[in-house]
Amino acid sequence: MKNMLTPAGILTAADLSAQSIPNPDTGNWFLSPGIIGTLILAAVVALVAVLIVSMRFIGYMDTLKKREQARQKAAFSDELPGLSGPEIDALLQKRRQRLSGDELGGSGAAADERGIVLKVTHDPNNPLVDEKKKAVLSIETPEELKKIVVWYLAAAVFWLVFGTLVGQYLGMKFVWPGIDSVPWLSFGRLRPVHTNTVFWGWASMAMIGLGYFVIARTSNAVIYSYKLARRAWRLINLSILAGNILLMSGINNGGGEYREYIWPVALLFALGLVFTFLNFYRTVARRNISEIYISNWYMLGALIWTLVLVFIGYLPGYQDGLGETVVQGYYMHQGVGMWFMTFTLGLVYYYLPSSLNKPIYSYSLGVLAFWTQMLFYTLIGTHHFVFSPLPWWLQTVAIVFSAGMFIPVVAGTTNFLMTMRGSWSDISKSYVLPFFLVGVVFYFVGSTQGSLQAFRFTNFVWHFTDFNVAHSHMTMYGIISFLLWACVYAILPRVMGREPRQLFVGIHFWLAFVGLFAYMISLMAGGTLRGLSWIGGEAFIESVRLMQPYWVWRAIGGTLMFLSHLVFAYNFYVMTRKEKELPQPVPTSASVQTATI
């Protein structure tokens, strides 16, 4: 017993109780399944970009072809006055002749001198009349509901521009670290301002605003209380404004990522969610149809989980030492998966099929994805702390449940892609489908890459590196933001009766997509090399020097993304602005007298 109490005895006892797990061998790191899988997933994103560019190019070529045909017709019309009388008579006589039936077939060469046929196809499902580019159906919407949707989306657009302006400045600090010496502009204060603003301001406000329209339409009922909706709007905006002022003043909740707002500020946000949940729940309860549409399951589930999450994340009793680490992993991943991802997927289950004017492919796949999301996502937060002092079994459970996330991801991706099946030609007509397509592809790519990153080897290489920043943008930006933009462009023109110019929607799409791709690839490559540098035992400052060119590309990609948000803000203004009413002329006595006569 005495020997056990000596320092050597204590170390021996600790060795006997601890698991002796050696560090993974990084000799052939590029042959790791997680590394190979991530490279394949990045190639999928590049392939989608090529697909969209090809479809847009084909659409552009079709436009040029139609212009050429119109030019030829105009040239023919101009040519007629120059023909002689006999030539005109012969031409008219030829046009009066009845068709023999073999002009476009038979043994001879096809001839269409009368210009009857515009396009030939062998597709049996080809429509007789092509869909027009601007065939926007207006949706009759109550004025109060229209105001609530626009209010929430307007606040979301403002916080998007402000939050990413802060992010743009932070990206420049990586390139020019001595750009300022003002305390409230320091990286440690501005970084949580950026993340919390785009999380709780942009994404949350946009989701709730779009959700109000879905909850009313799918329930065929009036919103329970517009007053509650306005109160929630004020509370959430007040929490973001107060939280950001406090963060820039150096007042925060400590080291918990995405919960830097102190508890009074978080309480305001939570009250806003309580009002929103009550409004959604009472509206669904008053529905005029028997079924509850699957979108409502996702949105109500997200609100319930998030209220539980805020309660657990801000209870201080068990958040000491490693307990705080466990809660942080839980809170961080639940915030992304059970609030943003679950709610946004619920929106897609309404806006995607409605924008394509067809039903969702499979209700059963949607139910499978919902319940497996609820099951697997709740226990994967600890995969951010592999090789930490946390219990080995807890890390293993997180890895196993991360692999289980393949089920809801594959089910949801299949459901959305099969819903899009047969509508790929819309890529060349409108940018709504490309936004949906990129969001769905990133849903598969980002979620699958997250599961691969949970494996012990890839975690060992990428943990605490810039790769995690790339992954978070791949999910929160590539999935959530692109899908929210798709929903906004799908519904606002129908509700407000005004469309943005397709050119500016296209500029928004390509700036955001190219910017994200440059941002993501640069930090994935740099993060991998940085992790290997640490494993190799090099000095920390060497990894900083190594990252310099990748941080330049990070700043370039971030700049493109920020510019896209300015274009989106302009498009939103175009869709929601009120037309100026022309002043009515005051009738004169003469006009009154004429009208009387």
Side-chain angles (χ1 to χ4, degrees), residues 187 191-192 194-196 199-200 247 252-261 309 313-314 319 324-325 327-336 384-385 463-465 468-469 472-473:
F187 187 91
R191 200 268 178 177
H194 165 64
T195 55
N196 285 277
F199 272 35
W200 316 122
L247 286 178
N252 56 66
N253 190 45
E257 192 174 19
Y258 309 141
R259 53 177 175 153
E260 290 91 351
Y261 288 164
L309 176 65
Y314 277 87
Q319 298 196 36
E324 184 177 9
T325 303
V327 172
Q328 175 57 30
Y330 173 80
Y331 176 89
M332 179 171 52
H333 236 287
Q334 295 300 290
V336 174
H384 285 275
F385 303 106
H463 196 43
F464 296 127
T465 70
N468 292 280
V469 182
S472 64
H473 282 75

Side-chain angles (χ1 to χ4, degrees), residues 542-579:
E542 292 301 322
S543 68
V544 175
R545 295 192 183 98
L546 179 150
M547 284 300 301
Q548 282 182 329
Y550 301 100
W551 284 336
V552 171
W553 279 104
R554 168 191 174 134
I556 293 173
T559 302
L560 294 177
M561 289 189 282
F562 176 67
L563 291 176
S564 77
H565 305 158
L566 297 179
V567 178
F568 171 61
Y570 173 75
N571 291 339
F572 177 80
Y573 165 75
V574 170
M575 290 185 285
T576 57
R577 67 181 175 184
K578 291 184 178 180
E579 299 290 345

Side-chain angles (χ1 to χ4, degrees), residues 218-513:
T218 56
S219 301
N220 193 22
V222 178
I223 295 297
Y224 170 69
S225 173
Y226 289 112
K227 184 181 293 185
L228 275 180
R230 288 190 290 270
R231 286 178 181 173
W233 185 90
R234 295 189 189 100
L235 285 171
I236 295 175
N237 279 292
L238 180 60
S239 70
I240 301 163
L241 177 62
N244 286 343
I245 292 174
L246 291 173
L247 286 178
M248 296 181 74
S249 302
I251 303 172
N252 56 66
N253 190 45
E257 192 174 19
Y258 309 141
R259 53 177 175 153
E260 290 91 351
Y261 288 164
I262 58 176
W263 72 263
V265 173
L267 180 62
L268 294 175
F269 187 87
L271 285 175
L273 291 190
V274 170
F275 290 161
T276 303
F277 172 75
L278 179 62
N279 230 355
F280 280 26
Y281 175 77
R282 295 298 294 268
T283 303
V284 173
R286 296 167 51 182
R287 67 189 183 279
N288 294 315
I289 54 178
S290 58
E291 297 85 1
I292 298 178
Y293 189 66
I294 191 168
S295 290
N296 300 339
W297 284 102
Y298 275 87
M299 292 188 295
L300 290 174
L303 284 164
I304 292 173
W305 268 110
T306 306
L307 289 172
V308 173
L309 176 65
V310 172
F311 182 75
I312 293 175
Y314 277 87
L315 276 181
Y318 43 78
Q319 298 196 36
D320 294 324
L322 290 178
E324 184 177 9
T325 303
V326 175
V327 172
Q328 175 57 30
Y330 173 80
Y331 176 89
M332 179 171 52
H333 236 287
Q334 295 300 290
V336 174
M338 304 306 287
W339 173 232
F340 297 109
M341 194 70 71
T342 302
F343 201 111
T344 302
L345 291 176
L347 297 176
V348 175
Y349 272 102
Y350 173 81
Y351 286 108
L352 176 61
S354 65
S355 64
L356 296 175
N357 197 26
K358 61 171 68 171
I360 197 72
Y361 173 70
S362 172
Y363 185 85
S364 299
L365 277 178
V367 173
L368 172 66
F370 175 80
W371 287 112
T372 50
Q373 173 111 348
M374 298 296 117
L375 171 64
F376 290 113
Y377 222 115
T378 54
L379 288 173
I380 67 177
T382 313
H383 74 208
H384 285 275
F385 303 106
V386 176
F387 297 109
S388 71
L390 296 180
W392 194 258
W393 66 265
L394 185 60
Q395 301 177 35
T396 304
V397 168
I399 295 171
V400 171
F401 275 65
S402 298
M405 279 300 297
F406 282 116
I407 298 175
V409 169
V410 171
T413 303
T414 302
N415 216 1
F416 298 144
L417 291 179
M418 292 301 287
T419 303
M420 296 181 196
R421 184 183 58 175
S423 302
W424 302 116
S425 60
D426 289 346
I427 292 178
S428 63
K429 298 177 182 178
S430 171
Y431 272 104
V432 172
L433 186 58
F435 273 107
F436 272 122
L437 179 60
V438 169
V440 170
V441 169
F442 267 110
Y443 173 53
F444 174 76
V445 169
S447 301
T448 304
Q449 192 278 319
S451 297
L452 295 175
Q453 192 171 338
F455 296 162
R456 284 195 169 93
F457 177 83
T458 47
N459 217 296
F460 184 65
V461 175
W462 290 331
H463 196 43
F464 296 127
T465 70
D466 297 72
F467 194 101
N468 292 280
V469 182
H471 172 73
S472 64
H473 282 75
M474 193 188 308
T475 51
M476 278 302 299
Y477 196 89
I479 304 173
I480 305 302
S481 291
F482 269 86
L483 290 178
L484 290 178
W485 287 326
C487 295
V488 170
Y489 285 127
I491 195 59
L492 266 190
R494 298 185 179 186
V495 172
M496 305 303 296
R498 284 180 291 278
E499 279 193 281
R501 290 182 59 187
Q502 283 293 303
L503 173 64
F504 287 101
V505 181
I507 292 173
H508 171 204
F509 174 83
W510 286 111
L511 284 176
F513 184 77

